[in-house]
């Protein structure tokens, strides 16, 4: 755990996570999967520091009608959908509204897949030890979808590694994975961005640049 109460930026958070995962360094069967966009700078620093492979786990949050930042669920690659049934019941959100939002977010998921990955095939997950990385968790809906999407591909192990999250979200996720690593568990917890000094939005261009650098490094390493 860190002695200070915040991260300088996402890169700083990634380096801190790398220190917590030092025993995973240069393990050939370990695959780091970042949740775009904010998870990519974190995962890039982690993967670079530990000489691990980096790729994407595309997930889209399903925002509640009228309150887009309030997640009623999430979708992920492979047709995965997870929902917060208690929230949906409490807000009386009709199924048609959920379907409409899910369809819209599925289109954005496809756009990002093409924009970020291009013609590069999705990574083979079966038999791999997978580390799922984001810049932090709030409700955990997006990470739940990511875990479900990875789980259906038969990995050897699933680890969630995040810089910051509330205790109750970690408690909800812990039974779903083999290991859960979180550096800060502040209380009260209001938002992920509260625990970063620089939490400026990660752009598509930054995502593409970092992935390109990571993939070039992997090619160089494989050629040695």
């Amino acid at each position: 755990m860190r002695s200070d109460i915040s991260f300088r930026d996402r890169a700083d958070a990634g380096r801190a996570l790398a220190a917590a995962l030092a025993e995973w360094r240069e393990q050939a069967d370990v695959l780091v999967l970042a949740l775009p966009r904010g998870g990519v700078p974190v995962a890039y620093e982690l993967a670079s520091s530990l000489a691990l492979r980096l790729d994407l786990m595309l997930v889209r949050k399903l925002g509640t009608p009228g309150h887009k930042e309030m997640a009623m669920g999430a979708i992920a690659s492979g047709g995965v959908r997870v929902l917060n049934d208690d929230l949906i019941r409490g807000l009386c959100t009709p199924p048609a509204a959920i379907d409409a939002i899910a369809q819209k977010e599925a289109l954005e998921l496809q756009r990002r897949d093409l924009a970020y990955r291009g013609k590069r095939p999705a990574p083979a997950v079966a038999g791999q030890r997978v580390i799922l990385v984001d810049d932090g968790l709030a409700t955990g809906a997006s990470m739940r979808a990511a875990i479900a999407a990875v789980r259906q591909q038969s990995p050897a192990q699933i680890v969630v590694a995040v810089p910051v999250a509330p205790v109750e979200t970690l408690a909800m996720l812990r039974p779903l994975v083999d290991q859960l690593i979180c550096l800060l568990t502040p209380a009260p917890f209001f938002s992920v961005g509260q625990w970063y000094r620089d939490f400026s939005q990660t752009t598509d261009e930054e995502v593409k640049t970092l992935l390109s650098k990571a993939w070039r490094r992997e090619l160089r390493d494989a050629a040695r």
Side-chain angles (χ1 to χ4, degrees):
M1 301 290 288
R2 289 168 66 103
S3 58
D4 56 342
I5 61 168
S6 65
F7 301 98
R8 184 169 59 253
D9 53 21
R10 290 180 178 88
D12 177 44
R15 289 188 289 269
L17 277 177
L21 287 158
E23 71 273 17
W24 296 68
R25 182 182 301 276
E26 296 181 352
Q27 298 296 305
D29 65 335
V30 174
L31 176 63
V32 178
L33 295 182
L35 277 63
R37 288 183 294 223
V40 173
V42 181
Y44 174 80
E45 292 296 334
L46 188 157
S48 297
S49 297
L50 301 182
L52 299 174
R53 293 173 295 143
L54 175 66
D55 216 292
L56 298 175
M57 170 46 65
L58 290 163
V59 179
R60 291 294 295 170
K61 180 175 67 176
L62 302 180
T64 302
H67 303 278
K68 291 184 178 180
E69 293 306 310
M70 184 184 298
M72 63 177 174
I75 60 171
S77 302
V80 170
R81 183 197 289 195
V82 299
L83 297 174
N84 184 335
D85 294 325
D86 290 340
L87 178 62
I88 290 168
R89 280 194 299 269
L91 296 175
C92 301
T93 308
I98 298 171
D99 290 341
I101 293 170
Q103 289 171 11
K104 177 182 177 182
E105 295 299 343
L107 291 175
E108 175 61 13
L109 191 150
Q110 292 170 8
R111 183 198 72 79
R112 290 192 179 193
D113 188 40
L114 180 62
Y116 300 156
R117 200 188 302 282
K119 296 182 179 180
R120 181 184 175 92
V125 171
Q128 302 295 290
R129 291 186 289 160
V130 174
I131 304 175
L132 287 166
V133 178
D134 206 349
D135 55 9
L137 304 174
T139 67
S142 295
M143 188 59 77
R144 280 179 59 208
I147 292 166
V150 171
R151 183 70 69 191
Q152 69 183 12
Q153 299 178 64
S154 302
Q157 189 176 4
I158 299 178
V159 175
V160 167
V162 292
V164 59
V167 170
E168 56 270 23
T169 297
L170 298 177
M172 178 268 293
L173 292 176
R174 191 166 282 111
L176 306 179
V177 297
D178 299 286
Q179 188 176 355
L180 198 160
I181 295 165
C182 181
L183 303 178
L184 294 179
T185 54
F189 182 97
F190 297 110
S191 69
V192 171
Q194 176 187 7
W195 308 103
Y196 285 84
R197 293 193 285 278
D198 177 3
F199 198 65
S200 52
Q201 186 177 40
T202 305
T203 66
D204 281 352
E205 286 305 313
E206 183 178 359
V207 169
K208 288 187 281 189
T209 296
L210 292 176
L211 289 174
S212 179
K213 289 171 65 175
W215 292 339
R216 286 199 301 269
R217 174 184 59 79
E218 290 167 22
L219 285 173
R220 290 196 301 268
D221 290 348
R224 289 176 182 170

